[in-house]
Amino acid sequence: MSERVRPSVAARARLRASRLRSALPMLRLAPLVLATLFVACSGDAPTPSSPATNPDDADLPAASEAISADVEASEPATTTYVLVLGNSLTAGYGLANPEADAYPALLQTRIDDAGLDAQVVNAGVSGDTSAGGRRRIDWVLRRQPVDVLVRALGGNDGLRGLSPDSMQANLSAIIASVRELNAEADVVVAGMEAPPNMGDTYTSAFRQVFRDLAAEHDAALVPFLLDGVGGIPAMNQPDGIHPTTGGQERLASNVWPVLRSVLQNG
């Protein structure tokens, strides 16, 4: 298979900015259209829950507010948008200040320190599975341009013993949705591991999904998002699942070398 040659991330951001300027009259109508859609669909919208009481309830409205805030605060001209699509690990469940201490925010700090023009958008929803991510990705993409997708779902699939084949189909569809809107989008696949008590056959098949996805979609791979965190009490909150602030620092350190290479080299 020949290697796919793509323009740099910055070049693609400039191209997207040119297209946005040409579409500005239509974009001015977008808030009204979105508001109309929200009212029409509000009967089916999920009810936000308190993450302090139930980490398995997806909080899509909270995620939408975070996305909206990030878009409003960013400069659209040449900025590279990095969407981190994940679950409670990404949302920073249980942290006192997830907006500052969850690993997407820590990645933003590293990006700023490196002098790179990129904006990280945290699209983490507690309790989300690969199927949940697949259901919401198109909604997210209607609100948020994406130049780099960090796909950090799958952990809850493993905890629940869901089918690795179904997980792979869902995660592949998420990547396809992003590239349908931006064919040149880069992708970082954050790998996960299933609990050992699921058995060797399941854990091996689960692990392989992420490697296969990276190969299939010409994506960069973080072999294990929770490397140095999973199973280590000092790195996790009392539930043994969700990282502490120190654990979140390690997650950012696991992702950053791969993401930095993508941002610098495209």
Side-chain angles (χ1 to χ4, degrees):
M1 181 184 297
S2 60
E3 183 177 354
R4 196 158 66 107
V5 179
R6 301 197 298 268
S8 69
V9 172
R12 297 199 299 275
R14 288 193 294 271
L15 177 61
R16 191 191 68 247
S18 175
R19 292 171 177 167
L20 284 174
R21 284 192 294 273
S22 67
L24 187 57
M26 183 61 68
L27 288 175
R28 290 197 180 103
L29 297 176
L32 177 60
V33 174
L34 285 172
T36 302
L37 288 173
F38 180 81
V39 171
C41 299
S42 61
D44 297 326
T47 302
S49 63
S50 169
T53 58
N54 191 349
D56 290 328
D57 286 342
D59 193 0
L60 190 58
S64 72
E65 292 171 6
I67 291 173
S68 299
D70 283 337
V71 174
E72 291 170 1
S74 60
E75 293 292 336
T78 59
T79 299
T80 297
Y81 291 99
V82 179
L83 180 73
V84 186
L85 187 73
N87 49 37
S88 57
L89 302 177
T90 301
Y93 170 77
L95 300 177
N97 188 6
E99 292 80 7
D101 294 333
Y103 75 88
L106 304 178
L107 288 173
Q108 184 67 64
T109 299
R110 287 161 168 78
I111 287 170
D112 295 342
D113 289 346
L116 298 171
D117 185 9
Q119 176 75 33
V120 176
V121 178
N122 187 338
V125 170
S126 293
D128 214 5
T129 61
S130 64
R134 182 176 184 175
R135 285 192 295 269
R136 68 184 172 99
I137 185 60
D138 289 338
W139 183 89
V140 172
L141 293 175
R142 287 195 296 270
R143 299 175 65 89
Q144 174 62 52
V146 179
D147 299 298
V148 179
L149 170 69
V150 178
R151 195 225 41 73
L153 287 167
N156 285 322
D157 293 65
L159 288 174
R160 300 173 189 183
L162 303 181
S163 164
D165 289 341
S166 295
M167 179 178 73
Q168 183 165 351
N170 291 330
L171 298 178
S172 185
I174 289 170
I175 297 172
S177 292
V178 171
R179 285 191 171 151
E180 185 177 352
L181 290 183
N182 180 1
E184 305 302 333
D186 286 293
V187 176
V188 175
V189 172
M192 288 296 295
E193 296 280 347
N197 64 346
M198 299 302 296
D200 291 342
T201 299
Y202 182 89
T203 56
S204 178
F206 186 92
R207 182 184 305 115
Q208 190 61 39
V209 164
F210 302 98
R211 288 150 178 77
D212 290 346
L213 282 170
E216 177 186 355
H217 293 282
D218 189 23
L221 176 66
V222 177
F224 183 30
L225 177 62
L226 286 171
D227 183 42
V229 177
I232 301 176
M235 288 289 191
N236 288 281
Q237 299 172 42
D239 62 12
I241 297 174
H242 297 95
T244 61
T245 54
Q248 289 282 346
E249 282 282 358
R250 180 59 187 261
L251 299 192
S253 295
N254 291 340
V255 175
W256 174 235
V258 178
L259 178 59
R260 177 180 56 199
S261 178
V262 168
L263 292 173
Q264 291 178 336
N265 301 319

